[in-house]
mmCIF file of all heavy atoms in Angstrom:
data_model
loop_
_atom_site.group_PDB
_atom_site.id
_atom_site.type_symbol
_atom_site.label_atom_id
_atom_site.label_comp_id
_atom_site.label_asym_id
_atom_site.label_seq_id
_atom_site.Cartn_x
_atom_site.Cartn_y
_atom_site.Cartn_z
ATOM 1 N N GLY A 1 0.781 -1.234 0.000
ATOM 2 C CA GLY A 1 0.000 0.000 0.000
ATOM 3 C C GLY A 1 0.808 1.277 0.000
ATOM 4 O O GLY A 1 0.246 2.362 0.116
ATOM 5 N N GLY A 2 2.139 1.180 -0.130
ATOM 6 C CA GLY A 2 2.947 2.384 -0.252
ATOM 7 C C GLY A 2 2.932 2.876 -1.688
ATOM 8 O O GLY A 2 2.412 2.205 -2.580
ATOM 9 N N THR A 3 3.474 4.045 -1.924
ATOM 10 C CA THR A 3 3.556 4.563 -3.285
ATOM 11 C C THR A 3 4.995 4.426 -3.774
ATOM 12 O O THR A 3 5.281 3.625 -4.637
ATOM 13 C CB THR A 3 3.076 6.020 -3.356
ATOM 14 O OG1 THR A 3 3.707 6.770 -2.325
ATOM 15 C CG2 THR A 3 1.580 6.109 -3.186
ATOM 16 N N HIS A 4 5.906 5.206 -3.196
ATOM 17 C CA HIS A 4 7.337 4.991 -3.403
ATOM 18 C C HIS A 4 8.002 5.247 -2.065
ATOM 19 O O HIS A 4 7.406 5.789 -1.143
ATOM 20 C CB HIS A 4 7.894 5.831 -4.567
ATOM 21 C CG HIS A 4 7.981 7.295 -4.319
ATOM 22 N ND1 HIS A 4 9.017 8.061 -4.773
ATOM 23 C CD2 HIS A 4 7.172 8.148 -3.657
ATOM 24 C CE1 HIS A 4 8.838 9.319 -4.420
ATOM 25 N NE2 HIS A 4 7.731 9.387 -3.738
ATOM 26 N N LEU A 5 9.233 4.807 -1.911
ATOM 27 C CA LEU A 5 9.859 4.733 -0.596
ATOM 28 C C LEU A 5 9.932 6.053 0.167
ATOM 29 O O LEU A 5 9.757 6.045 1.388
ATOM 30 C CB LEU A 5 11.235 4.077 -0.701
ATOM 31 C CG LEU A 5 11.227 2.663 -1.287
ATOM 32 C CD1 LEU A 5 12.615 2.051 -1.211
ATOM 33 C CD2 LEU A 5 10.205 1.771 -0.618
ATOM 34 N N PRO A 6 10.154 7.211 -0.466
ATOM 35 C CA PRO A 6 10.173 8.444 0.319
ATOM 36 C C PRO A 6 8.814 8.838 0.918
ATOM 37 O O PRO A 6 8.762 9.689 1.792
ATOM 38 C CB PRO A 6 10.648 9.495 -0.685
ATOM 39 C CG PRO A 6 11.431 8.724 -1.689
ATOM 40 C CD PRO A 6 10.693 7.424 -1.827
ATOM 41 N N ASP A 7 7.733 8.230 0.453
ATOM 42 C CA ASP A 7 6.415 8.506 1.026
ATOM 43 C C ASP A 7 6.186 7.549 2.194
ATOM 44 O O ASP A 7 5.851 6.381 2.010
ATOM 45 C CB ASP A 7 5.311 8.323 -0.017
ATOM 46 C CG ASP A 7 5.291 9.419 -1.055
ATOM 47 O OD1 ASP A 7 5.836 10.511 -0.771
ATOM 48 O OD2 ASP A 7 4.735 9.207 -2.136
ATOM 49 N N ILE A 8 6.387 8.060 3.402
ATOM 50 C CA ILE A 8 6.245 7.238 4.602
ATOM 51 C C ILE A 8 4.851 7.447 5.178
ATOM 52 O O ILE A 8 4.367 8.575 5.288
ATOM 53 C CB ILE A 8 7.342 7.566 5.619
ATOM 54 C CG1 ILE A 8 8.701 7.191 5.003
ATOM 55 C CG2 ILE A 8 7.103 6.838 6.933
ATOM 56 C CD1 ILE A 8 9.888 7.465 5.869
ATOM 57 N N THR A 9 4.224 6.328 5.541
ATOM 58 C CA THR A 9 2.846 6.325 6.025
ATOM 59 C C THR A 9 2.797 5.912 7.484
ATOM 60 O O THR A 9 3.458 4.957 7.887
ATOM 61 C CB THR A 9 1.997 5.341 5.194
ATOM 62 O OG1 THR A 9 2.107 5.708 3.819
ATOM 63 C CG2 THR A 9 0.547 5.368 5.606
ATOM 64 N N LEU A 10 2.001 6.633 8.254
ATOM 65 C CA LEU A 10 1.673 6.247 9.617
ATOM 66 C C LEU A 10 0.193 5.895 9.651
ATOM 67 O O LEU A 10 -0.642 6.665 9.153
ATOM 68 C CB LEU A 10 1.954 7.381 10.604
ATOM 69 C CG LEU A 10 3.409 7.785 10.772
ATOM 70 C CD1 LEU A 10 3.513 8.986 11.706
ATOM 71 C CD2 LEU A 10 4.229 6.627 11.314
ATOM 72 N N VAL A 11 -0.120 4.748 10.226
ATOM 73 C CA VAL A 11 -1.508 4.305 10.364
ATOM 74 C C VAL A 11 -1.781 4.096 11.843
ATOM 75 O O VAL A 11 -1.075 3.329 12.509
ATOM 76 C CB VAL A 11 -1.775 2.998 9.589
ATOM 77 C CG1 VAL A 11 -3.194 2.515 9.821
ATOM 78 C CG2 VAL A 11 -1.515 3.189 8.102
ATOM 79 N N SER A 12 -2.793 4.793 12.348
ATOM 80 C CA SER A 12 -3.173 4.698 13.759
ATOM 81 C C SER A 12 -4.522 4.020 13.886
ATOM 82 O O SER A 12 -5.438 4.281 13.099
ATOM 83 C CB SER A 12 -3.301 6.094 14.379
ATOM 84 O OG SER A 12 -2.113 6.804 14.234
ATOM 85 N N ARG A 13 -4.630 3.165 14.869
ATOM 86 C CA ARG A 13 -5.910 2.549 15.207
ATOM 87 C C ARG A 13 -6.647 3.568 16.060
ATOM 88 O O ARG A 13 -6.082 4.147 16.989
ATOM 89 C CB ARG A 13 -5.652 1.263 15.999
ATOM 90 C CG ARG A 13 -6.887 0.474 16.295
ATOM 91 C CD ARG A 13 -7.239 -0.383 15.077
ATOM 92 N NE ARG A 13 -8.199 -1.390 15.453
ATOM 93 C CZ ARG A 13 -9.479 -1.331 15.128
ATOM 94 N NH1 ARG A 13 -9.936 -0.321 14.417
ATOM 95 N NH2 ARG A 13 -10.307 -2.273 15.483
ATOM 96 N N THR A 14 -7.906 3.830 15.730
ATOM 97 C CA THR A 14 -8.704 4.804 16.478
ATOM 98 C C THR A 14 -9.977 4.137 16.983
ATOM 99 O O THR A 14 -10.249 2.975 16.669
ATOM 100 C CB THR A 14 -9.095 5.998 15.578
ATOM 101 O OG1 THR A 14 -10.020 5.552 14.588
ATOM 102 C CG2 THR A 14 -7.875 6.623 14.916
ATOM 103 N N ALA A 15 -10.772 4.883 17.709
ATOM 104 C CA ALA A 15 -12.030 4.363 18.244
ATOM 105 C C ALA A 15 -13.018 3.982 17.140
ATOM 106 O O ALA A 15 -13.829 3.072 17.309
ATOM 107 C CB ALA A 15 -12.662 5.387 19.181
ATOM 108 N N VAL A 16 -12.952 4.661 15.996
ATOM 109 C CA VAL A 16 -13.898 4.375 14.909
ATOM 110 C C VAL A 16 -13.285 3.607 13.745
ATOM 111 O O VAL A 16 -13.969 3.233 12.817
ATOM 112 C CB VAL A 16 -14.543 5.676 14.368
ATOM 113 C CG1 VAL A 16 -15.369 6.356 15.434
ATOM 114 C CG2 VAL A 16 -13.494 6.621 13.823
ATOM 115 N N GLY A 17 -11.979 3.380 13.778
ATOM 116 C CA GLY A 17 -11.334 2.673 12.673
ATOM 117 C C GLY A 17 -9.854 2.975 12.614
ATOM 118 O O GLY A 17 -9.100 2.590 13.496
ATOM 119 N N PHE A 18 -9.462 3.716 11.566
ATOM 120 C CA PHE A 18 -8.048 3.999 11.345
ATOM 121 C C PHE A 18 -7.869 5.423 10.831
ATOM 122 O O PHE A 18 -8.711 5.934 10.101
ATOM 123 C CB PHE A 18 -7.463 3.040 10.296
ATOM 124 C CG PHE A 18 -7.554 1.598 10.701
ATOM 125 C CD1 PHE A 18 -8.672 0.854 10.378
ATOM 126 C CD2 PHE A 18 -6.528 0.999 11.407
ATOM 127 C CE1 PHE A 18 -8.771 -0.477 10.759
ATOM 128 C CE2 PHE A 18 -6.618 -0.326 11.795
ATOM 129 C CZ PHE A 18 -7.740 -1.065 11.466
ATOM 130 N N ALA A 19 -6.739 6.016 11.189
ATOM 131 C CA ALA A 19 -6.322 7.303 10.634
ATOM 132 C C ALA A 19 -4.986 7.066 9.940
ATOM 133 O O ALA A 19 -4.119 6.371 10.479
ATOM 134 C CB ALA A 19 -6.163 8.341 11.739
ATOM 135 N N ALA A 20 -4.825 7.613 8.753
ATOM 136 C CA ALA A 20 -3.594 7.431 7.999
ATOM 137 C C ALA A 20 -3.044 8.779 7.557
ATOM 138 O O ALA A 20 -3.798 9.659 7.141
ATOM 139 C CB ALA A 20 -3.833 6.554 6.777
ATOM 140 N N THR A 21 -1.739 8.901 7.660
ATOM 141 C CA THR A 21 -1.023 10.089 7.198
ATOM 142 C C THR A 21 0.156 9.627 6.365
ATOM 143 O O THR A 21 0.907 8.753 6.785
ATOM 144 C CB THR A 21 -0.507 10.918 8.392
ATOM 145 O OG1 THR A 21 -1.607 11.300 9.195
ATOM 146 C CG2 THR A 21 0.227 12.152 7.915
ATOM 147 N N ARG A 22 0.293 10.187 5.189
ATOM 148 C CA ARG A 22 1.413 9.843 4.302
ATOM 149 C C ARG A 22 2.111 11.149 3.938
ATOM 150 O O ARG A 22 1.466 12.123 3.543
ATOM 151 C CB ARG A 22 0.894 9.160 3.046
ATOM 152 C CG ARG A 22 1.965 8.851 2.031
ATOM 153 C CD ARG A 22 1.467 7.911 0.959
ATOM 154 N NE ARG A 22 1.344 6.582 1.541
ATOM 155 C CZ ARG A 22 0.610 5.610 1.029
ATOM 156 N NH1 ARG A 22 -0.065 5.797 -0.074
ATOM 157 N NH2 ARG A 22 0.568 4.435 1.616
ATOM 158 N N ALA A 23 3.450 11.172 4.059
ATOM 159 C CA ALA A 23 4.205 12.384 3.740
ATOM 160 C C ALA A 23 5.533 12.017 3.094
ATOM 161 O O ALA A 23 6.147 11.007 3.441
ATOM 162 C CB ALA A 23 4.443 13.205 5.002
ATOM 163 N N HIS A 24 5.944 12.846 2.163
ATOM 164 C CA HIS A 24 7.190 12.635 1.434
ATOM 165 C C HIS A 24 8.370 13.106 2.280
ATOM 166 O O HIS A 24 8.379 14.219 2.787
ATOM 167 C CB HIS A 24 7.165 13.410 0.111
ATOM 168 C CG HIS A 24 8.348 13.156 -0.757
ATOM 169 N ND1 HIS A 24 8.350 12.195 -1.737
ATOM 170 C CD2 HIS A 24 9.571 13.733 -0.781
ATOM 171 C CE1 HIS A 24 9.527 12.188 -2.336
ATOM 172 N NE2 HIS A 24 10.277 13.116 -1.779
ATOM 173 N N HIS A 25 9.365 12.235 2.422
ATOM 174 C CA HIS A 25 10.581 12.550 3.169
ATOM 175 C C HIS A 25 11.737 12.712 2.193
ATOM 176 O O HIS A 25 11.791 12.039 1.164
ATOM 177 C CB HIS A 25 10.861 11.453 4.190
ATOM 178 C CG HIS A 25 9.861 11.464 5.299
ATOM 179 N ND1 HIS A 25 8.542 11.076 5.124
ATOM 180 C CD2 HIS A 25 9.962 11.858 6.579
ATOM 181 C CE1 HIS A 25 7.892 11.222 6.257
ATOM 182 N NE2 HIS A 25 8.726 11.698 7.158
ATOM 183 N N ALA A 26 12.666 13.592 2.527
ATOM 184 C CA ALA A 26 13.750 13.941 1.606
ATOM 185 C C ALA A 26 14.727 12.798 1.376
ATOM 186 O O ALA A 26 15.284 12.677 0.293
ATOM 187 C CB ALA A 26 14.504 15.169 2.123
ATOM 188 N N ASP A 27 14.950 11.951 2.380
ATOM 189 C CA ASP A 27 15.974 10.928 2.236
ATOM 190 C C ASP A 27 15.594 9.695 3.048
ATOM 191 O O ASP A 27 15.345 9.792 4.247
ATOM 192 C CB ASP A 27 17.315 11.481 2.732
ATOM 193 C CG ASP A 27 18.502 10.609 2.362
ATOM 194 O OD1 ASP A 27 18.293 9.449 1.950
ATOM 195 O OD2 ASP A 27 19.631 11.088 2.503
ATOM 196 N N VAL A 28 15.535 8.557 2.385
ATOM 197 C CA VAL A 28 15.246 7.294 3.073
ATOM 198 C C VAL A 28 16.350 6.272 2.795
ATOM 199 O O VAL A 28 16.108 5.081 2.710
ATOM 200 C CB VAL A 28 13.851 6.724 2.706
ATOM 201 C CG1 VAL A 28 12.744 7.566 3.292
ATOM 202 C CG2 VAL A 28 13.698 6.571 1.207
ATOM 203 N N GLY A 29 17.576 6.765 2.656
ATOM 204 C CA GLY A 29 18.721 5.882 2.538
ATOM 205 C C GLY A 29 19.049 5.401 1.145
ATOM 206 O O GLY A 29 19.623 4.341 0.982
ATOM 207 N N ALA A 30 18.704 6.159 0.123
ATOM 208 C CA ALA A 30 19.037 5.768 -1.252
ATOM 209 C C ALA A 30 20.546 5.836 -1.465
ATOM 210 O O ALA A 30 21.284 6.406 -0.656
ATOM 211 C CB ALA A 30 18.329 6.685 -2.248
ATOM 212 N N ALA A 31 21.012 5.249 -2.560
ATOM 213 C CA ALA A 31 22.441 5.232 -2.876
ATOM 214 C C ALA A 31 23.011 6.645 -2.983
ATOM 215 O O ALA A 31 24.153 6.907 -2.640
ATOM 216 C CB ALA A 31 22.677 4.462 -4.174
ATOM 217 N N GLU A 32 22.196 7.576 -3.457
ATOM 218 C CA GLU A 32 22.596 8.975 -3.586
ATOM 219 C C GLU A 32 21.727 9.805 -2.647
ATOM 220 O O GLU A 32 20.506 9.771 -2.758
ATOM 221 C CB GLU A 32 22.395 9.422 -5.038
ATOM 222 C CG GLU A 32 22.913 10.788 -5.338
ATOM 223 C CD GLU A 32 22.681 11.150 -6.811
ATOM 224 O OE1 GLU A 32 22.623 10.248 -7.645
ATOM 225 O OE2 GLU A 32 22.554 12.346 -7.082
ATOM 226 N N PRO A 33 22.296 10.540 -1.679
ATOM 227 C CA PRO A 33 21.504 11.276 -0.700
ATOM 228 C C PRO A 33 20.434 12.168 -1.331
ATOM 229 O O PRO A 33 20.702 12.899 -2.285
ATOM 230 C CB PRO A 33 22.548 12.123 0.038
ATOM 231 C CG PRO A 33 23.814 11.357 -0.115
ATOM 232 C CD PRO A 33 23.721 10.723 -1.487
ATOM 233 N N GLY A 34 19.218 12.047 -0.799
ATOM 234 C CA GLY A 34 18.123 12.869 -1.268
ATOM 235 C C GLY A 34 17.556 12.469 -2.608
ATOM 236 O O GLY A 34 16.663 13.102 -3.138
ATOM 237 N N LYS A 35 18.046 11.405 -3.199
ATOM 238 C CA LYS A 35 17.605 10.964 -4.517
ATOM 239 C C LYS A 35 17.149 9.539 -4.419
ATOM 240 O O LYS A 35 17.527 8.819 -3.524
ATOM 241 C CB LYS A 35 18.757 11.043 -5.541
ATOM 242 C CG LYS A 35 19.298 12.419 -5.762
ATOM 243 C CD LYS A 35 18.360 13.228 -6.567
ATOM 244 C CE LYS A 35 18.985 14.612 -6.811
ATOM 245 N NZ LYS A 35 18.166 15.450 -7.566
ATOM 246 N N PRO A 36 16.439 9.028 -5.342
ATOM 247 C CA PRO A 36 15.733 9.702 -6.418
ATOM 248 C C PRO A 36 14.311 10.054 -6.011
ATOM 249 O O PRO A 36 13.796 9.498 -5.058
ATOM 250 C CB PRO A 36 15.731 8.660 -7.530
ATOM 251 C CG PRO A 36 15.658 7.365 -6.800
ATOM 252 C CD PRO A 36 16.425 7.588 -5.504
ATOM 253 N N ALA A 37 13.714 10.943 -6.737
ATOM 254 C CA ALA A 37 12.322 11.302 -6.474
ATOM 255 C C ALA A 37 11.380 10.304 -7.129
ATOM 256 O O ALA A 37 10.223 10.232 -6.795
ATOM 257 C CB ALA A 37 12.043 12.704 -7.000
ATOM 258 N N ARG A 38 11.873 9.557 -8.090
ATOM 259 C CA ARG A 38 11.073 8.543 -8.785
ATOM 260 C C ARG A 38 11.765 7.196 -8.684
ATOM 261 O O ARG A 38 12.927 7.108 -8.333
ATOM 262 C CB ARG A 38 10.908 8.926 -10.244
ATOM 263 C CG ARG A 38 10.068 10.165 -10.433
ATOM 264 C CD ARG A 38 9.975 10.480 -11.931
ATOM 265 N NE ARG A 38 9.681 11.863 -12.133
ATOM 266 C CZ ARG A 38 10.546 12.853 -12.053
ATOM 267 N NH1 ARG A 38 11.789 12.634 -11.756
ATOM 268 N NH2 ARG A 38 10.181 14.089 -12.262
ATOM 269 N N ARG A 39 11.048 6.174 -9.067
ATOM 270 C CA ARG A 39 11.603 4.816 -9.011
ATOM 271 C C ARG A 39 12.860 4.746 -9.874
ATOM 272 O O ARG A 39 12.842 5.082 -11.049
ATOM 273 C CB ARG A 39 10.574 3.806 -9.506
ATOM 274 C CG ARG A 39 11.072 2.386 -9.389
ATOM 275 C CD ARG A 39 9.958 1.430 -9.769
ATOM 276 N NE ARG A 39 10.439 0.083 -9.606
ATOM 277 C CZ ARG A 39 10.915 -0.653 -10.600
ATOM 278 N NH1 ARG A 39 10.971 -0.179 -11.822
ATOM 279 N NH2 ARG A 39 11.327 -1.874 -10.374
ATOM 280 N N PRO A 40 13.956 4.267 -9.285
ATOM 281 C CA PRO A 40 15.201 4.172 -10.049
ATOM 282 C C PRO A 40 15.170 3.017 -11.038
ATOM 283 O O PRO A 40 14.411 2.059 -10.857
ATOM 284 C CB PRO A 40 16.254 3.934 -8.969
ATOM 285 C CG PRO A 40 15.496 3.292 -7.860
ATOM 286 C CD PRO A 40 14.105 3.862 -7.911
ATOM 287 N N PRO A 41 16.003 3.078 -12.077
ATOM 288 C CA PRO A 41 16.023 2.018 -13.089
ATOM 289 C C PRO A 41 16.373 0.646 -12.511
ATOM 290 O O PRO A 41 15.921 -0.366 -12.997
ATOM 291 C CB PRO A 41 17.091 2.464 -14.087
ATOM 292 C CG PRO A 41 17.456 3.846 -13.729
ATOM 293 C CD PRO A 41 16.918 4.151 -12.381
ATOM 294 N N GLY A 42 17.178 0.601 -11.446
ATOM 295 C CA GLY A 42 17.596 -0.670 -10.864
ATOM 296 C C GLY A 42 16.567 -1.323 -9.967
ATOM 297 O O GLY A 42 16.742 -2.444 -9.527
#
């Protein structure tokens, strides 16, 4: 259910169901810092 790796999602269980928040982060450990914004060829 993710989109691409820099989009990190938090899902909370609530009294009525679930709350979800997804936000783009600048760096999630790619080979090149802060890159890529799109799926890499590899």
Side-chain angles (χ1 to χ4, degrees):
T3 49
H4 71 142
L5 302 186
D7 288 339
I8 296 179
T9 304
L10 295 176
V11 176
S12 303
R13 185 82 165 105
T14 68
V16 296
F18 299 89
T21 301
R22 176 167 287 161
H24 185 93
H25 290 71
D27 192 346
V28 290
E32 187 180 332
K35 298 286 182 180
R38 293 179 203 79
R39 183 175 182 263

